[in-house]
Amino acid sequence: MSSDYSPPATPHGGADSGAVLDGNAAAGDFAGILASDPTTVMVRCGSCGATQAFGQLSAYLGGPGTVLRCRRCEAMVARVARTPRGTWLDLSGSSSWLFLPTPGPA
Amino acid sequence: MTDTTSTGGQADGSAEEAPPGGIHWRKATLIGLHPQSWHSRTLALDVPGWTGHLPGQHVDLRLTAADGYSAQRSYSLAEPAASSRVAVTVDLLPHGEVSPYLVESMELGDELDVRGPIGGWFVWEPGDPSIGGGPVLLIAGGSGVVPLVTMLRARKRAGDSTPTMLVYSLRGPRDLMYGPELEELSADLSAPGSAEVRLVYTRKIPYGHPRPASHLAIEDIEPPSAWPEPLAVRVYVCGSSGFVDHATRLLHKAGYPDDRIRTERFGPTGADR
């Protein structure tokens, strides 16, 4: 994985083709909030019911906050936004998060 | 951005009192540089307190300018874990904000902030029971080869003989990363740690290359004759979002179910804070 970006950034997540990444790219952000590695968590979409690993969700970075969408139906599953008031975590688009036990030092 | 005054990591409000093993920003010093292709280089960093990582994981790097402006980007770890040494291979994006500094300007002794290791999904640890005896298929688009080479290195170091093939899609000869290493790895397929390597040039081929230049096709991911079974038990795909989508479609066509495919996409992001 490598990432860099070309200004100007598109406002409001506009048609900036190729800017859709995956949950791996948002993992650093969420790792500061969750106690364990987020990428292996199985997330169930609240809209279509599809279950996918956090690492496979579509990630939209660079807007106001980070938005994660279901790869199947594109509904918003989770988002995190850092503001002067604090960090907002919105999981309303997901119906469950399954944390699997993972070996390894991560 | 030419100045990297570390700010100790208060910029993004992440928990600095992270639990042991948790993720927080650490200061890192550049201790090694190695050109990799015409537009990429490998940077080795010393990160005091680093507790190791798994093949396929990545780190976030953060640069902070003298005026306090900071930018962070994600890069795959380019070497298996070894003490406090952390390496990344960075591809230059001409209009990027961070990669030009990392590829062209940063000098030995310079500092930046590192956070990680991150991610347990796009990981292949030698001996992983869910992979068992393999085979394993690695598919790289451009600099997506970096985490896959790290996996191959870890496999070789562990003496793991899981049948493995790397399919590496790249534009032309001057874009090749890890050329000598991949040649050595695939020269003698009976040697321990060796792997089949297929180079898929999309625009320009080196003299004598048997495959004409064209995009990744279903033939390119057909199993080598030596594989005990037609489908790999696990496929790792890393590249740009478009490449990953294309490769995933080919894999589906070849009969791979989703639960055997693990992907990691990279691309231009504006993940600045």
Side-chain angles (χ1 to χ4, degrees):
Chain A
M1 159 191 286
S2 62
S3 62
D4 207 338
Y5 95 123
S6 315
T10 47
H12 317 301
D16 185 6
S17 64
V20 187
L21 302 179
D22 52 43
N24 296 299
D29 244 354
F30 277 79
I33 299 169
L34 304 174
S36 58
D37 166 45
T39 59
T40 55
V41 179
M42 300 306 290
V43 182
R44 183 186 291 275
C45 171
S47 300
C48 74
T51 300
Q52 57 220 296
F54 179 99
Q56 300 300 77
L57 294 163
S58 297
Y60 294 77
L61 309 175
T66 295
V67 174
L68 291 161
R69 294 184 175 275
C70 173
R71 202 157 273 287
R72 190 163 89 180
C73 76
E74 297 196 341
M76 191 175 73
V77 172
R79 63 180 167 178
V80 64
R82 298 180 189 278
T83 71
R85 263 186 74 193
T87 301
W88 294 87
L89 177 63
D90 174 359
L91 304 177
S92 60
S94 58
S95 54
S96 69
W97 290 53
L98 172 64
F99 292 76
L100 299 163
T102 49
Chain B
M1 172 164 320
T2 53
D3 186 7
T4 56
T5 320
S6 298
T7 56
Q10 74 271 24
D12 69 342
S14 67
E16 286 309 300
E17 306 77 35
I23 294 188
H24 56 279
W25 291 105
R26 292 183 172 93
K27 271 193 182 32
T29 309
L30 186 65
I31 55 169
L33 286 172
H34 176 70
Q36 201 55 259
S37 73
W38 274 39
H39 43 74
S40 65
R41 71 176 180 179
T42 299
L43 294 83
L45 303 161
D46 180 58
V47 190
W50 189 257
T51 52
H53 54 269
L54 302 173
Q57 289 189 299
H58 68 269
V59 287
D60 289 343
L61 300 185
R62 184 174 67 188
L63 301 174
T64 307
D67 64 1
Y69 175 79
S70 76
Q72 66 182 67
R73 297 289 182 270
S74 302
Y75 292 102
S76 290
L77 287 153
E79 291 173 3
S83 65
S84 60
R85 181 185 164 101
V86 165
V88 295
T89 297
V90 180
D91 204 17
L92 176 70
L93 293 179
H95 303 289
E97 199 181 25
V98 172
S99 63
Y101 173 78
L102 296 175
V103 176
E104 294 171 334
S105 311
M106 199 174 177
E107 292 174 5
L108 295 179
D110 287 350
E111 287 191 339
L112 47 61
D113 297 323
V114 173
R115 178 171 73 177
I118 298 165
W121 171 254
F122 196 80
V123 160
W124 176 19
E125 216 180 346
D128 178 347
S130 70
I131 288 178
V136 174
L137 175 57
L138 309 174
I139 304 177
S143 57
V145 75
V146 176
L148 306 183
V149 164
T150 304
M151 291 175 181
L152 288 168
R153 289 173 172 181
R155 165 179 169 268
K156 187 171 179 175
R157 203 168 69 178
D160 184 325
S161 57
T162 308
T164 305
M165 174 169 72
L166 169 68
V167 179
Y168 176 12
S169 168
L170 66 166
R171 287 180 184 175
R174 67 181 221 180
D175 303 296
L176 181 64
M177 293 180 177
Y178 305 108
E181 184 171 347
L182 294 177
E183 196 158 320
E184 190 184 334
L185 206 60
S186 56
D188 174 10
L189 293 179
S190 63
S194 65
E196 182 125 355
V197 176
R198 289 182 189 166
L199 297 180
V200 172
Y201 291 99
T202 60
R203 297 190 188 176
K204 190 174 182 218
I205 56 171
Y207 180 75
H209 190 72
R211 183 192 180 279
S214 68
H215 280 287
L216 183 76
I218 198 156
E219 298 76 49
D220 297 315
I221 60 169
E222 278 175 1
S225 52
W227 276 15
E229 51 195 288
L231 294 185
V233 297
R234 176 73 57 78
V235 187
Y236 293 93
V237 187
C238 185
S240 68
S241 211
F243 177 84
V244 169
D245 289 343
H246 174 66
T248 304
R249 279 192 297 272
L250 291 177
L251 289 164
H252 287 160
K253 212 180 285 186
Y256 282 96
D258 270 328
D259 63 3
R260 292 194 184 193
I261 306 169
R262 297 206 176 183
T263 61
E264 184 166 78
R265 293 168 169 81
F266 63 75
T269 66
D272 283 7
R273 273 171 294 281

